[in-house]
Amino acid sequence: MFSAIARVFRTPDLRRKIGFTLAIIALYRLGAHVPAPFVDFPNVQSCLDQSAGTDGLLSLVNLFSGGALLQLSIFALGVMPYITATIITQLLRVVIPHFETLHKEGQAGQAKLTQYTRYLTIALALLQSTTLVTVARSGQLFGVTGIPECEQLLTNDVWWAQLLMIITLTAGTGLIMWFAELVTERGIGNGMSLLIFTSIAASFPSSLWAIWQTRGFEVFLLVLAVGVVVIALVVFVEQSQRRVPVQYAKRMVGRRTYGGTNTYIPIKVNMAGVVPVIFASSLLYIPALIAQFNQPQAGEEVPAWVAWIQLYLVTGDHPFYMALYFFLIVGFTYFYVAITFNPVEVADNMKKYGGFIPGIRAGRPTAEYLDYVLTRITLPGSIYLGLIALIPLIALVTVGANQNFPFGGASILIIVGVGLETVKQIDAQLQQRHYEGLLR
């Protein structure tokens, strides 16, 4: 293992790529701590020390930004606008035929879709930065009342100061997107995935330190032990797949014979990735957001529906919230898999190139068989996603951790997934040069 790591740094090209990636990551983390214009940084830090942060979707955005959101830094929005734009572009392929046509055109069509994703990212960043500045100006960013510092987060709230903040946050998102593309082209691994990985990993030490301080060393060791087990299980499931065998018939083109090979279609247990967790978190945050902007004035009675939302759909420690969260993830998993994997299209492509599944006729029977396999394998995958997403909520009840609990939810799925893919890319680079990779 150590000799393989040494070969990584002895290979000049690979060493240069890894060094470039680390330099971009360092710049990204530096920008996460640079405050935006007209932000009262001492007040923000005081609020962070006196409050537990925030819940729901803002908690997820803060996690993906590496804590930059609640610090109101120039990279406060993080990668969430790009993630949202990518998901929207994928969903639009089902609604807009032009997007599906571009997807099938190969590299030229993919480049056009990427350009649309960039434009949509900037538009979403403009919208989200406006919302963030408005919430910070109203003093409700941290969801606490009675703390003067949390109500005065900006040093100047005139219109031109707010406009400058919005432009800065939007430009920060554009810079993050450029960083990610540079890493993808000149570094190692997928740039955007690595930046998300870095943001989540940056929150691990503070989360573990908070557990040590509040619950003691014994609970801290228990959490680490549970974390190791969860990581092992996640690695096992993420690597699990159903391999559907495919054979290609022999074809004579002139004097040459093509085909006659055996391959397989890899159908992963977790084909949806972390997207259903993001969908479910976003949907559950909407009632809490509506209730937050319908708070009564001083002396007035809280409406019954607002009290019900605050009791069941805000903190995440109620069994009703957990059950609803779980079933939403299961439903969104089936929804997203149905959009991203089209059995009819796969069956048509196989038939076009002379491929068939042994024992299954080409065409419609193949599509029905793939749909049958996909439906059966998505069930354990959706249950697995739901259980992993519930780990932070269970930790919230048992050890008093917040919803950014490191060993569960979206954080552990992204950490393990990105880590595995990056190691595989390094291994492939080593095998090209030394015939022996990083993995045994």
Side-chain angles (χ1 to χ4, degrees):
M1 180 65 182
F2 292 104
S3 61
I5 295 176
R7 283 198 303 273
V8 171
F9 291 97
R10 282 200 300 265
T11 306
D13 185 41
L14 195 54
R15 183 175 64 242
R16 184 166 57 251
K17 288 183 176 181
I18 293 177
F20 180 80
T21 303
L22 293 177
I24 293 294
I25 288 175
L27 288 175
Y28 173 66
R29 289 306 302 158
L30 176 64
H33 295 280
V34 177
F38 305 106
V39 172
D40 196 328
F41 192 69
N43 282 2
V44 171
Q45 294 300 313
S46 177
C47 266
L48 285 173
D49 295 336
Q50 297 182 51
S51 66
T54 186
D55 297 323
L57 182 62
L58 283 183
S59 175
L60 189 66
V61 177
N62 189 54
L63 175 66
F64 282 5
S65 67
L69 175 73
L70 295 184
Q71 294 186 21
L72 293 176
S73 70
I74 58 174
F75 289 167
L77 300 182
V79 297
M80 280 302 290
Y82 184 83
I83 295 174
T84 308
T86 303
I87 294 173
I88 291 175
T89 305
Q90 288 182 343
L91 296 179
L92 286 178
R93 284 170 44 196
V94 183
V95 182
I96 302 177
H98 178 63
F99 278 64
E100 183 64 24
T101 304
L102 290 175
H103 178 71
K104 295 179 179 179
E105 285 182 358
Q107 186 175 359
Q110 292 292 340
K112 198 70 175 179
L113 284 177
T114 302
Q115 196 69 13
Y116 288 152
T117 305
R118 292 171 183 163
Y119 294 147
L120 187 57
T121 299
I122 297 301
L124 289 174
L126 190 62
L127 178 63
Q128 293 179 15
S129 60
T130 304
T131 304
L132 179 61
V133 171
T134 303
V135 173
R137 182 173 177 269
S138 66
Q140 298 180 357
L141 179 62
F142 293 89
V144 295
T145 57
I147 302 179
E149 291 85 354
C150 296
E151 298 176 358
Q152 299 177 356
L153 299 178
L154 307 181
T155 59
N156 193 342
D157 60 354
V158 297
W159 69 269
W160 57 266
Q162 296 180 49
L163 180 62
L164 182 59
M165 288 186 64
I166 292 171
I167 294 174
T168 302
L169 296 178
T170 305
T173 299
L175 189 59
I176 291 173
M177 188 166 53
W178 182 58
F179 282 169
E181 293 181 357
L182 283 179
V183 171
T184 303
E185 293 175 6
R186 301 174 55 185
I188 194 77
N190 182 279
M192 191 59 68
S193 299
L194 281 175
L195 293 185
I196 300 173
F197 177 96
T198 304
S199 300
I200 295 175
S203 65
F204 270 44
S206 60
S207 299
L208 293 175
W209 178 250
I211 293 174
W212 190 338
Q213 282 188 319
T214 57
R215 292 291 177 170
F217 185 67
E218 293 80 7
V219 176
F220 174 76
L221 289 180
L222 178 63
V223 168
L224 284 183
V226 172
V228 172
V229 174
V230 169
I231 289 175
L233 292 176
V234 170
V235 170
F236 176 76
V237 177
E238 292 294 325
Q239 296 288 84
S240 302
Q241 55 181 290
R242 167 72 184 275
R243 296 182 175 182
V244 180
V246 178
Q247 293 182 0
Y248 284 91
K250 292 183 178 180
R251 295 179 297 136
M252 293 294 296
V253 180
R255 294 184 179 181
R256 294 188 178 183
T257 303
Y258 294 91
T261 58
N262 297 329
T263 183
Y264 60 86
I265 301 175
I267 301 180
K268 296 181 62 177
V269 174
N270 178 25
M271 288 193 64
V274 74
V275 174
V277 181
I278 299 175
F279 278 178
S281 301
S282 305
L283 191 61
L284 281 178
Y285 179 67
I286 294 176
L289 183 65
I290 295 174
Q292 181 178 352
F293 286 100
N294 286 273
Q295 294 294 328
Q297 300 294 329
E300 296 182 2
E301 186 178 355
V302 179
W305 65 274
V306 174
W308 188 87
I309 290 176
Q310 290 176 342
L311 177 62
Y312 293 104
L313 298 177
V314 174
T315 58
D317 57 356
H318 197 279
F320 176 78
Y321 183 97
M322 296 183 184
L324 183 60
Y325 190 36
F326 178 83
F327 287 113
L328 280 175
I329 290 175
V330 171
F332 278 128
T333 302
Y334 274 95
F335 170 73
Y336 191 72
V337 169
I339 289 176
T340 55
F341 187 91
N342 188 349
V344 177
E345 181 182 350
V346 175
D348 289 342
N349 289 335
M350 288 171 53
K351 185 177 180 180
K352 184 186 304 182
Y353 295 103
F356 62 93
I357 299 174
I360 307 294
R361 293 182 59 185
R364 182 177 176 182
T366 299
E368 292 176 351
Y369 177 76
L370 289 175
D371 184 65
Y372 170 76
V373 172
L374 189 65
T375 302
R376 287 173 64 91
I377 205 171
T378 302
L379 178 61
S382 62
I383 295 175
Y384 149 79
L385 271 182
L387 293 177
I388 292 295
L390 286 180
I391 290 178
L393 303 181
I394 296 173
L396 176 68
V397 177
T398 55
V399 300
N402 58 21
Q403 294 193 24
N404 292 341
F405 183 71
F407 299 115
S411 59
I412 196 67
L413 293 171
I414 293 174
I415 287 287
V416 172
V418 176
L420 288 174
E421 289 301 320
T422 305
V423 169
K424 287 179 181 178
Q425 289 201 22
I426 296 176
D427 181 69
Q429 297 267 352
L430 280 178
Q431 287 184 349
Q432 289 179 1
R433 295 167 175 83
H434 300 282
Y435 304 102
E436 186 176 354
L438 185 66
L439 303 175
R440 298 283 181 173

